[in-house]
Amino acid sequence: MSYHHDGRDVGSRSTAGMATSEKAPPLDLSHHYSFVAKNRTPNEMKKYYKLFQIPGIGNIAGGLPNVRFFPFDTLEAQTAKPERWAPTPNYPEVGDDSFEEFTSSSSSPSKSTGGDPQAPAKLAIPKILQETDITKKIDLETALQYGQAQGYPPLLKWVREFTRENLHPNVPYRDGPEVTLVCGSTDGFSKTLDLFVNAWNPAEHDIRERPGLLCETIAYPGILSQSKPRGVQIVPVKHDGHGMLPIGEGSLEDVLENWDFSRGKRPHLMYTVTLGHNPSGIVLPIERRKQLYDICSKYDVIIVEDEPYWYLQYPSAPVEEAKSRGQNPPEEEIAAQYYRNQGVSSGYEFLDSLQPSFLSVDTDGRVVRLDTFSKTIAPGCRLGWITASPAIIEKFIGVSESSTQQPSGFVQAMVAELVMGPGQPSSDNAKSHLSSLLRTTTKDHGWKKDGWVRWLSGLRGMYERRMTRMCRIIDSGAYLLKSSTPTSARDADWGVITKTQIFDYNWPRGGMFVWIKVLFETHPLWQQPWTSFVTSASIPSIYANNESRAGGVKKQDRALIGGPSLSAALMLYLTHKPHLVLVSTGALFSANETVQAEEGWRFFRLCFAAVGEEDVDATSKRFVEGVHAFWRVKDPRVIKKLLEPGPVGCTGRDGRRMWNLLC
């Protein structure tokens, strides 16, 4: 049995009863569409676009500028070869040092293009290409003209085939998913809210109509800032080291089963990043994925799966983490990494080795997956795609038709040319140099699917090495060692060493981030009185008022130094010389103020992707040294000074804003 957000039974299909012989069509989930989405009609002018392709048609219907007046004659660029970066093993084994063999950033000679894999290739797009098949015609005449909202035909076809045949070959509903191109995942989520959420205003609407969004207690802040202005209630669900909890106190089942309808509608959307979670680096195991899916099916919840880091899964992490800490790797986790789809192979060992998407268990057609080129090509592309059931994709296309249209033609053409390869020479005789370029560099570019997967595996390899280097250095500084003089004369020949753990974390299993829990309870100033050296009147009020909600400091003892103050002070302390390290505080990723007050201040997020290759080790060492130095601070006046108004201060007129940022 499955429930509508108002309690009605709408039917469901459990993954446990998934048919293996005949696939059922996806469910009709149109009852979830927003009022605007239900009333949106197709763009009538877009229907004409299909008629534009009639050979010899004299098109005087559309308001299309003439291609002759486009100021660009060609687009040309130097690009990487797909073999530029060396991959790491898909299945590293315990006790095997094969990972160490891949520590070099260089790669072997290019198999597909020959020569030096570090050398650039060339890419060129002509103004007009003589090609009647619009899915093969990559030129400025088509790329820079008005087009279909679903995406540029050549790139759309390539993404659709790659998604259906290689990324998700085992989607369990009839005829499989469809795709539509969007301007990155942020745009994709904005369109998802447009499609599934009615804006709620407390001044105009009944509280019982307020929509809700389920997510982990720590979540990517971008989706929170997109949701809240629409009146969406953020509903946190507890998680552990393996992802969102399906059962137990505070779990997905608990939240939905015991929903208080006086707070609003039972949430019908769940947002999650399950494969390289931002910020925790968690990779959700397949068995838990099935559990969560069955609960969402039971309560009729749409799953919004945002996966910018899917290709960045690190199979070496449990092995290398154990090796770094002198422990035995967890056998269950190692075994889980050898999961392969029970069905059609992707055709590539690298893709088969990755934990699969929610789409692999989507019997109902309730998964909306967001993909992006931001982490695999560049964020400035603002290019991605949505994968979902055909009916839902059709509604997404309607959203695009009335808003962004298709993504940038420049970007789509460049990406299409990169992954599909060059077409025929230009028809413009004046561009003979371009024709020559296209003919002589065919072997140097046009990655095709093989090249694209090779590029992805190389990217994973480079980020996996960075992650390993940073985590090894952080591991080396997790404990603070302190020597002291013996108190007894008979022990004068002995030294006393105390060992204090100052932070704890798991190596990320995917993504770009290390999520560290700082053990502020071990700091010498923890719950020490501000007033030892500081008058009550000079205590930063923003901290004094909030210490009572966090860090174990009771309201009547709010003049004691608690976690939020120490957390904000440490973040600022690290930005000073000689440390000069900037980290993100956990408050940025807290799903609501309660999470922020209770645990957000305990965490820091470190990104091993952003700094230059030569700075990974140095920045990691400065972070460790900075935390150690902060633990030697014993004067409350140092903390107060860090939190004072000023260039990096937290209080004053902008105190609340800075508190939200840092604590």
Side-chain angles (χ1 to χ4, degrees):
M1 180 177 294
S2 180
Y3 301 94
H4 187 270
H5 51 72
D6 62 5
R8 292 186 285 111
D9 174 19
V10 297
S12 67
R13 308 183 190 119
S14 169
T15 57
M18 189 185 305
T20 57
S21 58
E22 183 178 349
K23 297 179 179 180
L27 295 179
D28 180 359
L29 298 174
S30 59
H31 57 280
H32 282 313
Y33 295 160
S34 68
F35 177 81
V36 171
K38 289 178 179 178
N39 285 278
R40 183 178 285 118
T41 57
N43 186 324
E44 294 297 323
M45 181 54 68
K46 294 294 182 181
K47 295 179 179 179
Y48 276 85
Y49 281 27
K50 296 179 181 179
L51 303 178
F52 294 172
Q53 308 305 320
I54 298 175
I57 193 75
N59 180 12
I60 57 175
L64 279 62
N66 192 288
V67 65
R68 180 183 176 188
F69 304 125
F70 294 175
F72 299 95
D73 292 328
T74 67
L75 287 181
E76 303 176 31
Q78 288 189 323
T79 65
K81 294 176 182 177
E83 300 87 358
R84 174 168 288 184
W85 313 121
T88 44
N90 295 322
Y91 299 103
E93 297 186 9
V94 179
D96 185 0
D97 291 331
S98 61
F99 179 79
E100 301 297 337
E101 299 174 7
F102 291 83
T103 55
S104 172
S105 63
S106 63
S107 182
S108 57
S110 173
K111 294 181 180 179
S112 63
T113 60
D116 181 5
Q118 303 298 318
K122 293 174 182 154
L123 178 153
I125 300 173
K127 191 159 193 172
I128 300 175
L129 190 69
Q130 293 297 342
E131 171 61 65
T132 58
D133 185 346
I134 62 171
T135 66
K136 297 179 181 178
K137 183 177 173 63
I138 305 175
D139 61 8
L140 302 187
E141 179 184 34
T142 53
L144 302 187
Q145 191 56 271
Y146 289 119
Q148 298 285 354
Q150 193 170 3
Y152 188 47
L155 184 60
L156 176 64
K157 180 183 178 182
W158 189 91
V159 168
R160 182 180 185 274
E161 290 180 354
F162 187 65
T163 297
R164 289 166 56 92
E165 298 173 8
N166 306 111
L167 297 185
H168 315 295
N170 296 293
V171 176
Y173 52 76
R174 186 183 301 166
D175 298 328
E178 284 296 336
V179 302
T180 184
L181 302 185
V182 290
C183 305
S185 290
T186 300
D187 178 51
F189 186 69
S190 176
K191 288 180 166 66
T192 301
L193 292 174
D194 186 292
L195 178 56
F196 292 111
V197 172
N198 289 312
W200 182 84
N201 185 337
E204 299 178 1
H205 303 118
D206 192 314
I207 183 64
R208 291 170 296 181
E209 293 299 312
R210 187 179 187 185
L213 177 70
L214 298 155
C215 65
E216 293 90 349
T217 55
I218 54 170
Y220 172 57
I223 65 104
L224 305 179
S225 62
Q226 285 181 280
S227 303
K228 290 178 180 179
R230 296 173 180 261
V232 176
Q233 179 178 194
I234 305 300
V235 183
V237 179
K238 288 186 177 180
H239 63 95
D240 61 13
H242 298 290
M244 184 181 288
L245 291 174
I247 57 175
E249 183 181 357
S251 67
L252 182 63
E253 175 78 37
D254 183 33
V255 169
L256 292 172
E257 174 68 23
N258 300 301
W259 182 254
D260 179 2
F261 287 91
S262 67
R263 296 174 54 192
K265 291 183 178 180
R266 178 190 282 143
H268 69 286
L269 279 180
M270 182 180 85
Y271 173 89
T272 184
V273 182
T274 65
L275 299 163
H277 182 267
N278 181 8
S280 70
I282 292 169
V283 169
L284 189 72
I286 183 63
E287 290 305 319
R288 182 170 292 192
R289 190 179 304 274
K290 292 177 180 177
Q291 288 180 288
L292 293 170
Y293 183 87
D294 286 344
I295 294 169
C296 287
S297 182
K298 176 181 177 180
Y299 293 98
D300 195 25
V301 175
I302 299 291
I303 299 172
V304 185
E305 182 184 39
D306 187 4
E307 298 296 2
Y309 310 104
W310 188 40
Y311 312 102
L312 302 181
Q313 297 181 37
Y314 306 131
S316 71
V319 175
E320 295 301 314
E321 178 186 68
K323 188 186 301 182
S324 174
R325 298 174 179 179
Q327 302 169 348
N328 294 321
E331 295 182 3
E332 292 183 1
E333 185 174 0
I334 298 299
Q337 291 189 4
Y338 283 76
Y339 171 84
R340 287 178 181 267
N341 288 328
Q342 300 301 308
V344 179
S345 169
S346 70
Y348 298 95
E349 182 186 285
F350 171 69
L351 297 180
D352 281 344
S353 73
L354 303 176
Q355 288 284 348
S357 163
F358 265 115
L359 286 168
S360 67
V361 296
D362 187 17
T363 53
D364 297 344
R366 64 177 64 254
V367 173
V368 174
R369 180 184 166 97
L370 310 179
D371 279 279
T372 180
F373 286 104
S374 292
K375 307 302 187 295
T376 54
I377 294 183
C381 286
R382 305 318 309 143
L383 181 63
W385 71 96
I386 300 174
T387 306
S389 69
I392 290 178
I393 289 297
E394 184 178 355
K395 301 301 288 187
F396 272 119
I397 295 172
V399 177
S400 293
E401 285 180 345
S402 60
S403 57
T404 60
Q405 300 289 321
Q406 64 174 324
S408 165
F410 287 104
V411 173
Q412 290 189 90
M414 294 293 277
V415 173
E417 185 74 6
L418 179 70
V419 298
M420 295 177 66
Q424 301 170 4
S426 169
S427 63
D428 188 344
N429 292 331
K431 302 299 179 294
S432 59
H433 72 285
L434 178 60
S435 300
S436 175
L437 177 63
L438 287 169
R439 287 194 297 270
T440 58
T441 62
T442 296
K443 67 176 184 177
D444 289 336
H445 72 291
W447 289 2
K448 316 301 184 195
K449 289 183 182 179
D450 290 355
W452 180 244
V453 174
R454 177 60 180 81
W455 175 257
L456 296 177
S457 65
L459 282 183
R460 193 273 297 273
M462 293 302 293
Y463 283 122
E464 191 168 17
R465 295 183 191 94
R466 283 170 164 253
M467 179 274 296
T468 300
R469 288 160 55 193
M470 175 175 279
C471 288
R472 284 174 177 170
I473 292 171
I474 294 174
D475 275 357
S476 70
Y479 290 85
L480 187 65
L481 302 180
K482 179 182 178 182
S483 61
S484 58
T485 304
T487 57
S488 173
R490 64 182 180 180
D491 296 329
D493 293 334
W494 296 88
V496 178
I497 304 294
T498 57
K499 185 178 180 181
T500 303
Q501 186 174 10
I502 55 179
F503 50 76
D504 190 21
Y505 73 106
N506 294 321
W507 284 35
R509 271 42 177 177
M512 292 181 169
F513 311 105
V514 180
W515 183 242
I516 292 182
K517 182 179 182 180
V518 184
L519 306 178
F520 290 104
E521 296 90 337
T522 68
H523 193 279
L525 289 177
W526 172 259
Q527 294 195 19
Q528 294 301 305
W530 286 101
T531 51
S532 294
F533 298 95
V534 183
T535 64
S536 299
S538 65
I539 299 172
S541 60
I542 208 74
Y543 300 96
N545 292 336
N546 282 275
E547 299 287 40
S548 60
R549 297 200 301 155
V553 179
K554 298 179 180 179
K555 186 174 182 179
Q556 61 269 28
D557 298 324
R558 68 183 187 180
L560 302 181
I561 301 174
S565 293
L566 290 173
S567 177
L570 174 57
M571 182 269 183
L572 293 168
Y573 184 83
L574 291 170
T575 65
H576 288 70
K577 292 182 178 180
H579 314 300
L580 293 177
V581 176
L582 181 63
V583 299
S584 295
T585 65
L588 290 171
F589 307 94
S590 300
N592 58 26
E593 290 186 358
T594 300
V595 175
Q596 178 180 313
E598 293 179 353
E599 60 176 292
W601 55 269
R602 299 177 184 272
F603 292 89
F604 283 171
R605 191 195 75 173
L606 282 61
C607 178
F608 50 82
V611 296
E613 193 70 35
E614 68 282 358
D615 294 328
V616 174
D617 292 5
T619 306
S620 302
K621 290 176 182 177
R622 294 204 304 272
F623 169 78
V624 169
E625 292 166 356
V627 176
H628 280 223
F630 186 75
W631 247 248
R632 291 192 288 270
V633 173
K634 299 180 181 179
D635 187 342
R637 289 175 294 188
V638 175
I639 307 300
K640 177 182 177 294
K641 184 67 175 177
L642 287 165
L643 303 180
E644 281 180 345
V648 292
C650 303
T651 59
R653 183 175 59 184
D654 294 330
R656 172 59 59 183
R657 179 179 61 83
M658 292 302 294
W659 168 267
N660 289 334
L661 176 64
L662 301 177
C663 309

